[in-house]
Amino acid sequence: MPPPGGPRGARGFLTPEEKQNRPKITAKLLKRIFSYLTPYIPQLLLVMAAIIVSSFFSIYPSILTGGMVDAIAGGVVRISGPVGAVIRAVAGNDAFRTLLTLIGASFALFIISNLINIAQSYLNAWIAQHITFDMKNALYAHLQKMPHRFFSTSKQGDIITRMTSDADGVQQTITGTLTQLISNSSTLIIALIAMYRKSWILATVGVIMVPFFVIPTKTVGKKRWELTRRSQEKNDEINQILNETLSVSGQLLVKLFTAEEREYKKYFEANKARVALSLRESMVGRWFMFAIGTFTNIGPMLIYLVGGLLVLRYGGDLTVGDITIMVSLLSRLYMPVNSLLNIQVDMIRSMALFTRLFDYFDMKLEIENAPDAVVPADVTGNLRFEDVTFSYEPDKQILKDVSFEVKPGRSVAIVGPSGAGKSTIINLIPRLYDVTGGSVELDGTDIRKLDLNFLRRNIGVVNQDTYLFNGTIKENLLYAKPDAADSELIDACRDANIHDFIESLSNGYDTVIGNRGIKLSGGERQRLSIARAILKDTKILILDEATSSLDSISESLIQDAIDPLLRGRTSIVIAHRLSTVMSADEILVISDGVIVERGTHRELVPLGGVYTELYETQFRRALEEQEAARSAGA
Ligand code: ATP
């Protein structure tokens, strides 16, 4: 009899959360899941056939065991079918030869069944890997097309979980749940047929016994699962207490508020509750083993009793071997029934995984290529905002009637108080978001009508929050232009004032810069990012100047890097430095999503409006600080 396992029983229950999020299993969902299996139908059929054959071969030795018992007892060996015929042909009427043949056949069946199992496992893993491979690729491609809004609002952990453990869970479903369903059903059916063919009375006795194995497993399993869950919750509570009270700041709080006694009581109570739960949990396991053990023994005894009664009292034609077969087959009933009962839960879990993945697939792409998107032959770099309105959320308008034009090669500086909408304006240019009203035009064409790749290829962006990945400096630079020659990289870095620094590193351009460029200073990261924009060499450039104050040397290094970057390009700069503002062809002053002033520095300062205030508070102070730092350095 298979060992009755507590955890096995526990496996078959849903957590309250799972119950709450239980997916609706509809024909549409099943059809959608099936569509992923469709390309692998021939392989799936082969796996099914292999499982059925292997279940048959694994049960047959039980029947042969009966034959062995009869051969030893000198009785008639009654094995029907082609296997029986082969055995009779090989062994004739000799009991010992029959015994040897049966042992040989049993062994051969065992080997064959296991070989088939190995082949089946490989094929099964192959199918599962390929299905998840297809799913993961499709999902990754889909996520790449998701809008910026999706990534800025979703939890990053959630996206990664769906791409990894959810998708792997789907694989587990195919390798585990599906094969278990087929293998348990076929084992169950084959065992039942074999038993009923031998003796319907004993088979019925066996079937009647099944609920006695299943019910305790199910009930006690449920109880145990509940206790495990509660004890887990208690453990979490204890960990929470430890984390809160044994950390530096936690201990400080406890000491200053003399809360030692209070905290100790809390810990003591939680610990006591956990001990009680653990004890109950292990005792439930004991009773469970006892119940199953009892029925494990009663089952065969009942079969011997009824079998004996039939043979001894009613002159039934059953042999000792037949009764042995029935006992041995009885064990074959228990496992599959129990597993099949658990499969329902596995199925619900699998459906939930599929549903979670499909949720992502069904999310609207929002920013897509228009069906008639055009790819112009060239870009001159004329950028125009025409009565642009925009809102992130329906009822909160961020930009209102923003109109301006940047002629090819000219520069516009956007200034304004924090939260005014400056970043929002620049986000609309590479279509990280689409306008909600009006239009953004590049060379006279609405950017929503341009090919998205074309548009983004022609826009260079240097962000405040420079994104560098963990690789070498060279790899980070090549991201902008994968086929750039070394000399191009060096030229770009010279222009960006970062070449000398890179050369001073022991590994030069092959230096690994750590996660998000952590091994570089803020100023170095910015200059590297500028070098990357120079390499990309686009007609349009968006520059979000860093607000973080740098020392005067870094400031001037960056300023010297920005000048060649802006030269000859249509540029839109969110400016935080007076020098950038002063060199812009036009300054747009944004306040509350509206352009409130526009003009050159000279024109705006005397107005006494928002710009004058910004100049007084922000730019002039920054300039004074820089000058103070410079003279202190000198
Ligand atoms: P700062 O100078 O501080 O960077 P900003 O002028 O660039 O400010 P924006 O980042 O454009 O301002 O933000 C304008 C408004 O839009 C703010 O009120 C901000 O809270 C809101 N906002 C920005 N991004 C989002 C978003 N992803 N979802 C919802 N609201 C947003």
PDB file of all heavy atoms in Angstrom, residues 152 392-393 396 398 417-424 433 574 576, ligand 1:
ATOM      1  N   SER A 152       5.110  52.340 -15.637  1.00  0.00           N
ATOM      2  CA  SER A 152       5.198  53.262 -14.510  1.00  0.00           C
ATOM      3  C   SER A 152       4.109  52.999 -13.486  1.00  0.00           C
ATOM      4  O   SER A 152       4.201  53.481 -12.365  1.00  0.00           O
ATOM      5  CB  SER A 152       5.185  54.714 -14.984  1.00  0.00           C
ATOM      6  OG  SER A 152       4.122  54.929 -15.848  1.00  0.00           O
ATOM      7  N   TYR A 392      -2.994  62.429 -17.562  1.00  0.00           N
ATOM      8  CA  TYR A 392      -2.629  61.040 -17.243  1.00  0.00           C
ATOM      9  C   TYR A 392      -3.865  60.280 -16.822  1.00  0.00           C
ATOM     10  O   TYR A 392      -4.048  59.128 -17.160  1.00  0.00           O
ATOM     11  CB  TYR A 392      -1.611  61.008 -16.087  1.00  0.00           C
ATOM     12  CG  TYR A 392      -0.239  61.512 -16.459  1.00  0.00           C
ATOM     13  CD1 TYR A 392       0.183  62.780 -16.079  1.00  0.00           C
ATOM     14  CD2 TYR A 392       0.640  60.712 -17.178  1.00  0.00           C
ATOM     15  CE1 TYR A 392       1.445  63.245 -16.400  1.00  0.00           C
ATOM     16  CE2 TYR A 392       1.902  61.172 -17.507  1.00  0.00           C
ATOM     17  CZ  TYR A 392       2.300  62.433 -17.119  1.00  0.00           C
ATOM     18  OH  TYR A 392       3.543  62.885 -17.452  1.00  0.00           O
ATOM     19  N   GLU A 393      -4.690  60.969 -16.029  1.00  0.00           N
ATOM     20  CA  GLU A 393      -5.944  60.362 -15.581  1.00  0.00           C
ATOM     21  C   GLU A 393      -7.078  61.224 -16.111  1.00  0.00           C
ATOM     22  O   GLU A 393      -6.930  62.451 -16.220  1.00  0.00           O
ATOM     23  CB  GLU A 393      -5.991  60.318 -14.049  1.00  0.00           C
ATOM     24  CG  GLU A 393      -5.117  59.222 -13.485  1.00  0.00           C
ATOM     25  CD  GLU A 393      -4.325  59.678 -12.273  1.00  0.00           C
ATOM     26  OE1 GLU A 393      -4.744  60.650 -11.629  1.00  0.00           O
ATOM     27  OE2 GLU A 393      -3.286  59.072 -12.004  1.00  0.00           O
ATOM     28  N   LYS A 396      -8.038  64.774 -14.595  1.00  0.00           N
ATOM     29  CA  LYS A 396      -7.035  65.735 -14.132  1.00  0.00           C
ATOM     30  C   LYS A 396      -6.170  66.185 -15.313  1.00  0.00           C
ATOM     31  O   LYS A 396      -5.280  65.454 -15.744  1.00  0.00           O
ATOM     32  CB  LYS A 396      -6.181  65.086 -13.040  1.00  0.00           C
ATOM     33  CG  LYS A 396      -5.375  66.099 -12.278  1.00  0.00           C
ATOM     34  CD  LYS A 396      -4.589  65.429 -11.162  1.00  0.00           C
ATOM     35  CE  LYS A 396      -3.471  66.346 -10.695  1.00  0.00           C
ATOM     36  NZ  LYS A 396      -2.288  65.629 -10.281  1.00  0.00           N
ATOM     37  N   ILE A 398      -3.362  67.916 -17.261  1.00  0.00           N
ATOM     38  CA  ILE A 398      -2.008  68.340 -16.894  1.00  0.00           C
ATOM     39  C   ILE A 398      -1.525  69.446 -17.845  1.00  0.00           C
ATOM     40  O   ILE A 398      -1.014  70.457 -17.402  1.00  0.00           O
ATOM     41  CB  ILE A 398      -1.030  67.139 -16.926  1.00  0.00           C
ATOM     42  CG1 ILE A 398      -1.494  66.030 -15.980  1.00  0.00           C
ATOM     43  CG2 ILE A 398       0.394  67.575 -16.602  1.00  0.00           C
ATOM     44  CD1 ILE A 398      -1.390  66.330 -14.512  1.00  0.00           C
ATOM     45  N   PRO A 417       8.044  75.954 -12.448  1.00  0.00           N
ATOM     46  CA  PRO A 417       8.110  75.344 -11.118  1.00  0.00           C
ATOM     47  C   PRO A 417       7.936  73.830 -11.183  1.00  0.00           C
ATOM     48  O   PRO A 417       7.456  73.299 -12.189  1.00  0.00           O
ATOM     49  CB  PRO A 417       6.935  75.973 -10.366  1.00  0.00           C
ATOM     50  CG  PRO A 417       6.293  76.934 -11.287  1.00  0.00           C
ATOM     51  CD  PRO A 417       6.882  76.818 -12.627  1.00  0.00           C
ATOM     52  N   SER A 418       8.305  73.158 -10.094  1.00  0.00           N
ATOM     53  CA  SER A 418       8.184  71.704 -10.035  1.00  0.00           C
ATOM     54  C   SER A 418       6.709  71.298 -10.186  1.00  0.00           C
ATOM     55  O   SER A 418       5.827  71.936  -9.613  1.00  0.00           O
ATOM     56  CB  SER A 418       8.733  71.238  -8.694  1.00  0.00           C
ATOM     57  OG  SER A 418       8.542  69.867  -8.585  1.00  0.00           O
ATOM     58  N   GLY A 419       6.479  70.265 -10.967  1.00  0.00           N
ATOM     59  CA  GLY A 419       5.111  69.776 -11.163  1.00  0.00           C
ATOM     60  C   GLY A 419       4.336  70.567 -12.197  1.00  0.00           C
ATOM     61  O   GLY A 419       3.130  70.356 -12.385  1.00  0.00           O
ATOM     62  N   ALA A 420       5.012  71.491 -12.912  1.00  0.00           N
ATOM     63  CA  ALA A 420       4.304  72.341 -13.876  1.00  0.00           C
ATOM     64  C   ALA A 420       3.911  71.580 -15.145  1.00  0.00           C
ATOM     65  O   ALA A 420       2.951  71.953 -15.825  1.00  0.00           O
ATOM     66  CB  ALA A 420       5.180  73.527 -14.248  1.00  0.00           C
ATOM     67  N   GLY A 421       4.657  70.517 -15.459  1.00  0.00           N
ATOM     68  CA  GLY A 421       4.336  69.739 -16.651  1.00  0.00           C
ATOM     69  C   GLY A 421       5.472  69.693 -17.668  1.00  0.00           C
ATOM     70  O   GLY A 421       5.269  69.313 -18.820  1.00  0.00           O
ATOM     71  N   LYS A 422       6.679  70.036 -17.232  1.00  0.00           N
ATOM     72  CA  LYS A 422       7.819  70.075 -18.157  1.00  0.00           C
ATOM     73  C   LYS A 422       8.154  68.681 -18.693  1.00  0.00           C
ATOM     74  O   LYS A 422       8.268  68.480 -19.911  1.00  0.00           O
ATOM     75  CB  LYS A 422       9.051  70.680 -17.459  1.00  0.00           C
ATOM     76  CG  LYS A 422       8.808  72.078 -16.902  1.00  0.00           C
ATOM     77  CD  LYS A 422      10.023  72.642 -16.225  1.00  0.00           C
ATOM     78  CE  LYS A 422      10.470  71.897 -14.975  1.00  0.00           C
ATOM     79  NZ  LYS A 422       9.588  72.023 -13.805  1.00  0.00           N
ATOM     80  N   SER A 423       8.296  67.702 -17.778  1.00  0.00           N
ATOM     81  CA  SER A 423       8.630  66.340 -18.226  1.00  0.00           C
ATOM     82  C   SER A 423       7.504  65.789 -19.081  1.00  0.00           C
ATOM     83  O   SER A 423       7.741  65.034 -20.032  1.00  0.00           O
ATOM     84  CB  SER A 423       8.839  65.415 -17.041  1.00  0.00           C
ATOM     85  OG  SER A 423       9.731  65.994 -16.154  1.00  0.00           O
ATOM     86  N   THR A 424       6.281  66.149 -18.741  1.00  0.00           N
ATOM     87  CA  THR A 424       5.144  65.654 -19.502  1.00  0.00           C
ATOM     88  C   THR A 424       5.265  66.100 -20.960  1.00  0.00           C
ATOM     89  O   THR A 424       5.026  65.307 -21.878  1.00  0.00           O
ATOM     90  CB  THR A 424       3.830  66.162 -18.869  1.00  0.00           C
ATOM     91  OG1 THR A 424       3.849  65.827 -17.491  1.00  0.00           O
ATOM     92  CG2 THR A 424       2.631  65.551 -19.531  1.00  0.00           C
ATOM     93  N   TYR A 433       3.679  58.808 -24.174  1.00  0.00           N
ATOM     94  CA  TYR A 433       2.229  58.954 -24.007  1.00  0.00           C
ATOM     95  C   TYR A 433       1.733  59.658 -25.258  1.00  0.00           C
ATOM     96  O   TYR A 433       2.509  60.352 -25.935  1.00  0.00           O
ATOM     97  CB  TYR A 433       1.908  59.834 -22.794  1.00  0.00           C
ATOM     98  CG  TYR A 433       2.361  59.256 -21.477  1.00  0.00           C
ATOM     99  CD1 TYR A 433       3.615  59.557 -20.959  1.00  0.00           C
ATOM    100  CD2 TYR A 433       1.534  58.403 -20.754  1.00  0.00           C
ATOM    101  CE1 TYR A 433       4.042  59.021 -19.755  1.00  0.00           C
ATOM    102  CE2 TYR A 433       1.954  57.873 -19.543  1.00  0.00           C
ATOM    103  CZ  TYR A 433       3.207  58.182 -19.050  1.00  0.00           C
ATOM    104  OH  TYR A 433       3.612  57.654 -17.853  1.00  0.00           O
ATOM    105  N   ILE A 574      14.901  70.764 -20.744  1.00  0.00           N
ATOM    106  CA  ILE A 574      14.333  71.191 -19.460  1.00  0.00           C
ATOM    107  C   ILE A 574      15.528  71.741 -18.703  1.00  0.00           C
ATOM    108  O   ILE A 574      16.428  71.001 -18.315  1.00  0.00           O
ATOM    109  CB  ILE A 574      13.693  70.027 -18.695  1.00  0.00           C
ATOM    110  CG1 ILE A 574      12.531  69.460 -19.500  1.00  0.00           C
ATOM    111  CG2 ILE A 574      13.232  70.489 -17.321  1.00  0.00           C
ATOM    112  CD1 ILE A 574      11.780  68.360 -18.803  1.00  0.00           C
ATOM    113  N   HIS A 576      17.927  73.716 -16.050  1.00  0.00           N
ATOM    114  CA  HIS A 576      18.092  74.073 -14.643  1.00  0.00           C
ATOM    115  C   HIS A 576      19.311  74.967 -14.440  1.00  0.00           C
ATOM    116  O   HIS A 576      19.588  75.379 -13.333  1.00  0.00           O
ATOM    117  CB  HIS A 576      18.221  72.807 -13.782  1.00  0.00           C
ATOM    118  CG  HIS A 576      16.970  71.984 -13.774  1.00  0.00           C
ATOM    119  ND1 HIS A 576      15.824  72.383 -13.143  1.00  0.00           N
ATOM    120  CD2 HIS A 576      16.676  70.804 -14.364  1.00  0.00           C
ATOM    121  CE1 HIS A 576      14.878  71.472 -13.323  1.00  0.00           C
ATOM    122  NE2 HIS A 576      15.374  70.506 -14.069  1.00  0.00           N
TER     123      HIS A 576
HETATM  124  P1  ATP B   1       9.693  68.461 -12.018  1.00  0.00           P
HETATM  125  O1  ATP B   1      10.422  69.723 -12.363  1.00  0.00           O
HETATM  126  O2  ATP B   1       9.492  68.336 -10.542  1.00  0.00           O
HETATM  127  O3  ATP B   1      10.264  67.256 -12.638  1.00  0.00           O
HETATM  128  P2  ATP B   1       7.641  68.714 -14.060  1.00  0.00           P
HETATM  129  O4  ATP B   1       7.345  70.126 -14.412  1.00  0.00           O
HETATM  130  O5  ATP B   1       8.517  67.966 -14.982  1.00  0.00           O
HETATM  131  O6  ATP B   1       8.174  68.632 -12.566  1.00  0.00           O
HETATM  132  P3  ATP B   1       5.725  66.653 -14.586  1.00  0.00           P
HETATM  133  O7  ATP B   1       6.609  65.522 -14.210  1.00  0.00           O
HETATM  134  O8  ATP B   1       5.488  66.867 -16.034  1.00  0.00           O
HETATM  135  O9  ATP B   1       6.239  68.012 -13.917  1.00  0.00           O
HETATM  136  O10 ATP B   1       4.343  66.464 -13.844  1.00  0.00           O
HETATM  137  C1  ATP B   1       3.231  67.294 -14.080  1.00  0.00           C
HETATM  138  C2  ATP B   1       2.059  66.771 -13.246  1.00  0.00           C
HETATM  139  O11 ATP B   1       1.686  65.494 -13.724  1.00  0.00           O
HETATM  140  C3  ATP B   1       2.387  66.619 -11.777  1.00  0.00           C
HETATM  141  O12 ATP B   1       1.279  67.076 -11.060  1.00  0.00           O
HETATM  142  C4  ATP B   1       2.555  65.126 -11.588  1.00  0.00           C
HETATM  143  O13 ATP B   1       2.118  64.747 -10.319  1.00  0.00           O
HETATM  144  C5  ATP B   1       1.663  64.543 -12.683  1.00  0.00           C
HETATM  145  N1  ATP B   1       2.221  63.282 -13.181  1.00  0.00           N
HETATM  146  C6  ATP B   1       3.453  63.086 -13.675  1.00  0.00           C
HETATM  147  N2  ATP B   1       3.608  61.815 -14.107  1.00  0.00           N
HETATM  148  C7  ATP B   1       2.447  61.187 -13.866  1.00  0.00           C
HETATM  149  C8  ATP B   1       1.955  59.862 -14.085  1.00  0.00           C
HETATM  150  N3  ATP B   1       2.718  58.925 -14.642  1.00  0.00           N
HETATM  151  N4  ATP B   1       0.691  59.583 -13.724  1.00  0.00           N
HETATM  152  C9  ATP B   1      -0.091  60.523 -13.174  1.00  0.00           C
HETATM  153  N5  ATP B   1       0.295  61.786 -12.940  1.00  0.00           N
HETATM  154  C10 ATP B   1       1.543  62.131 -13.279  1.00  0.00           C
END
